[in-house]
Amino acid sequence: MAGGFVSQTPGVRNYNYKLTPKVFVTCFIGAFGGLIFGYDLGISGGVTQMEPFLEEFFPDVHRKMKSAHQNEYCRFDSQLLTLFTSSLYLAALVSSLFASTITRVFGRKWSMFLGGFTFFVGSAFNGFAQNIAMLLIGRILLGFGVGFANQSVPVYLSEMAPPNLRGAFNNGFQVAIIFGIVVATIINYFTAQLKGNIGWRISLGLACVPAMMIMIGALILPDTPNSLIERGFTDKAKQMLQSIRGTNEVDEEFQDLTDASEESKQVKHPWKNILLPRYRPQLIITCFIPFFQQLTGINVITFYAPVLFQTLGFRSKASLLSAMVTGIIELLCTFVSVFTVDRFGRRVLFLQGGIQMLISQIAIGVMIGVKFGTVGTGNIGKTDANLIVALICIYVAGFAWSWGPLGWLVPSEISPLEIRSAAQAINVAVNMFFTFLVAQLFLTMLCHMKFGLFFFFAVFVFIMTIFIYLMLPETKNVPIEEMNRVWKAHWFWGRFIPDEAVGVSAAEMQQKSV
């Protein structure tokens, strides 16, 4: 398929290329990195409501769950139980900072491999766990794997993809995450019906499968032209660029990549330089987008969905089935973003998804408040319960084509090469920190804030939608090494970008001064 595009940002270069089978296959395999994150998100919530698992490791929670007079909002409130879920994300935060250096020095693919390897070891610890210590060690190792994969995979996809399809290919990472969630919920549905401890062990142990997939994928994948140039392999980088672009006429793009690499070599301390005013737009967006992504409340729905549905009155089997349905809807709706993000742009999907999530969250909060009140001891009928599930599905759909995939896409594409690895590490670290915080505090917040928790998240959805409208410029169709021109043209961020960062000519500067 012939390439080429028309950018909305003045001065941005157009490259010639074709959509080659090689770039499609490499991005498809590269996206496997999202499977380990998705599988864990989906598996944790299901396992933590399996009675044999709770009896084995969290007997106090199991007794509360069985209590006929227990406040519905507080049935699963246990800091130890939430630590099992949230410890992974704290480990991912730490590992993502180390992953930045490995990704830059050794290439994107070896950071992906290391992520798969540590996730594999962690899955073995969890599958054979005999005590809480083994569970937590396993979770920490899983977290290291997630941190490495989440730091390297989005950057890999953004660098390999042609500019006008970068959004679609990068969204493959989110598709893989959601696919992992769906597979995990299906596995939980069937393993929950097994007697004894074998069910939860199978669920946790099967995490080794997506880990092996990313390990094997990383071994056969080529590295990106950007990374090869950064590490001094210029001839190999040009050959790779010609291969993935399907043409020998890559001189202009190759020169841009080389110029970006030369500029990046002047930066000896990326962690220090990212604090400079010229990188202020990238730093702010890289911090705020993952912060807001977690404050949508989506991970509350994702890894506590079975627990939440039980709180709403569903039985164990029905709650797992409802979680499976919402996961499938999220997967299907993520493809909406894949096929529209490069056509309509990032901003349109962010804004539409934000409005949809806001309305549905308010409706969910109102319905739960009416049925359970502040005491949390009411009953909910089948019709009302199904309506709440439908509203949750509408909320999930809005997230799936907006903040879900774009929360990974935008931070990975906006930074110049000299700070890209550090910026992506910050993106993952912020994401994991607030994932940890929400995971650790959600059950306690649900117990104390009750239905008001959904209004709490709705307020943040309102704020983040306004933030996107005012502060995020459109980045569709812009080559990744030309992104500074987008920031220079923005009404607010333009003041931070020096003219030499966008190659402004003398004539342009003179015209601006008139």
Side-chain angles (χ1 to χ4, degrees):
M1 184 175 74
F5 62 90
V6 177
S7 171
Q8 295 177 338
T9 305
V12 171
R13 295 184 178 93
N14 298 332
Y15 301 139
N16 293 318
Y17 55 83
K18 298 176 182 177
L19 177 57
T20 62
K22 183 166 187 174
V23 74
F24 181 85
V25 171
T26 53
C27 287
F28 177 78
I29 296 174
F32 284 177
L35 289 175
I36 59 175
F37 190 29
Y39 186 86
D40 182 79
L41 286 172
I43 217 72
S44 300
V47 166
T48 53
Q49 60 89 57
M50 293 182 185
E51 291 191 33
F53 178 80
L54 294 176
E55 284 182 295
E56 180 80 15
F57 298 108
F58 306 97
D60 292 340
V61 177
H62 185 255
R63 283 193 294 270
K64 282 203 303 182
M65 187 178 74
K66 289 295 186 181
S67 174
H69 304 289
Q70 176 64 38
N71 184 323
E72 291 296 331
Y73 292 121
C74 302
R75 293 176 73 187
F76 295 91
D77 184 21
S78 165
Q79 287 299 301
L80 190 59
L81 178 62
T82 53
L83 183 62
F84 165 74
T85 299
S86 61
S87 57
L88 179 148
Y89 307 106
L90 198 59
L93 185 161
V94 175
S95 68
S96 67
L97 302 178
F98 293 104
S100 168
T101 300
I102 293 175
T103 301
R104 187 179 69 255
V105 176
F106 298 103
R108 287 52 167 149
K109 59 179 289 180
W110 292 113
S111 188
M112 293 162 61
F113 177 85
L114 189 56
F117 177 76
T118 53
F119 198 88
F120 181 88
V121 177
S123 68
F125 267 86
N126 276 351
F128 293 104
Q130 300 299 317
N131 49 52
I132 288 288
M134 283 189 71
L135 274 180
L136 292 181
I137 290 171
R139 293 294 291 174
I140 290 170
L141 289 171
L142 293 175
F144 286 152
V146 168
F148 274 96
N150 286 9
Q151 196 280 335
S152 54
V153 173
V155 171
Y156 181 90
L157 296 176
S158 288
E159 291 181 345
M160 290 294 280
N164 75 326
L165 293 174
R166 186 174 59 246
F169 280 112
N170 193 286
N171 282 356
F173 180 68
Q174 179 69 9
V175 171
I177 291 176
I178 306 305
F179 183 75
I181 292 172
V182 172
V183 170
T185 54
I186 292 173
I187 290 173
N188 277 339
Y189 179 76
F190 290 104
T191 57
Q193 301 175 50
L194 300 176
K195 301 296 184 182
N197 286 329
I198 189 66
W200 64 263
R201 291 191 185 277
I202 291 175
S203 290
L204 294 178
L206 282 178
C208 68
V209 176
M212 291 179 64
M213 291 176 67
I214 185 176
M215 288 168 64
I216 295 171
L219 289 175
I220 64 176
L221 285 175
D223 222 330
T224 69
N226 313 61
S227 179
L228 290 170
I229 293 173
E230 189 177 28
R231 291 180 287 131
F233 302 106
T234 53
D235 291 339
K236 190 175 180 180
K238 188 167 186 178
Q239 293 173 5
M240 178 56 60
L241 189 61
Q242 291 171 337
S243 177
I244 63 175
R245 297 295 183 252
T247 177
N248 290 328
E249 299 177 2
V250 296
D251 291 344
E252 190 173 27
E253 183 175 5
F254 181 74
Q255 187 60 50
D256 284 344
L257 298 182
T258 303
D259 292 343
S261 178
E262 289 301 318
E263 185 175 349
S264 73
K265 290 176 182 178
Q266 306 303 314
V267 178
K268 303 300 182 183
H269 306 286
W271 288 100
K272 180 180 178 180
N273 281 74
I274 199 172
L275 300 176
L276 295 175
R278 66 185 295 162
Y279 302 121
R280 192 64 44 79
Q282 294 91 338
L283 180 61
I284 297 298
I285 297 297
T286 297
C287 289
F288 273 79
I289 283 188
F291 164 72
F292 283 136
Q293 187 189 49
Q294 296 314 307
L295 269 296
T296 60
I298 186 61
N299 279 344
V300 167
I301 301 296
T302 301
F303 47 63
Y304 288 124
V307 171
L308 180 61
F309 287 130
Q310 276 207 52
T311 298
L312 294 175
F314 291 80
R315 294 183 178 179
S316 178
K317 186 176 179 179
S319 68
L320 286 171
L321 184 61
S322 298
M324 190 192 311
V325 170
T326 58
I328 292 172
I329 289 174
E330 187 172 4
L331 176 62
L332 294 176
C333 291
T334 301
F335 281 101
V336 174
S337 182
V338 170
F339 293 113
T340 61
V341 67
D342 291 311
R343 181 179 180 183
F344 299 119
R346 286 66 163 148
R347 283 170 53 83
V348 169
L349 294 180
F350 264 131
L351 297 175
Q352 190 281 328
I355 293 171
Q356 183 170 320
M357 288 190 293
L358 177 63
I359 294 172
S360 55
Q361 273 183 321
I362 292 174
I364 293 168
V366 169
M367 286 202 65
I368 294 178
V370 169
K371 295 301 176 182
F372 289 125
T374 57
V375 294
T377 55
N379 294 310
I380 188 167
K382 182 178 180 180
T383 300
D384 290 331
N386 288 335
L387 180 56
I388 291 176
V389 171
L391 288 170
I392 289 176
C393 288
I394 293 172
Y395 162 80
V396 165
F399 177 86
W401 58 57
S402 62
W403 279 91
L406 301 184
W408 294 106
L409 165 62
V410 172
S412 73
E413 69 179 357
I414 60 174
S415 296
L417 184 62
E418 63 266 23
I419 62 162
R420 189 171 301 149
S421 292
Q424 182 63 11
I426 291 172
N427 173 41
V428 175
V430 173
N431 191 299
M432 292 300 107
F433 175 76
F434 285 99
T435 302
F436 164 79
L437 207 61
V438 171
Q440 187 65 29
L441 298 179
F442 166 67
L443 293 178
T444 300
M445 291 171 70
L446 179 63
C447 182
H448 293 281
M449 296 179 68
K450 303 175 175 59
F451 63 89
L453 181 60
F454 294 93
F455 299 137
F456 171 81
F457 287 121
V459 169
F460 278 98
V461 172
F462 175 78
I463 294 172
M464 67 184 68
T465 303
I466 299 299
F467 176 82
I468 291 296
Y469 178 77
L470 294 175
M471 307 306 291
L472 182 69
E474 184 54 65
T475 58
K476 72 171 182 177
N477 294 341
V478 179
I480 195 168
E481 304 300 353
E482 292 277 299
M483 204 62 70
N484 267 338
R485 292 183 177 272
V486 173
W487 300 112
K488 188 65 175 176
H490 189 265
W491 69 272
F492 180 78
W493 300 122
R495 71 192 71 181
F496 296 100
I497 308 298
D499 290 330
E500 63 269 19
V502 295
V504 176
S505 66
E508 289 174 310
M509 292 178 66
Q510 184 177 10
Q511 185 177 10
K512 285 171 59 179
S513 64
V514 174

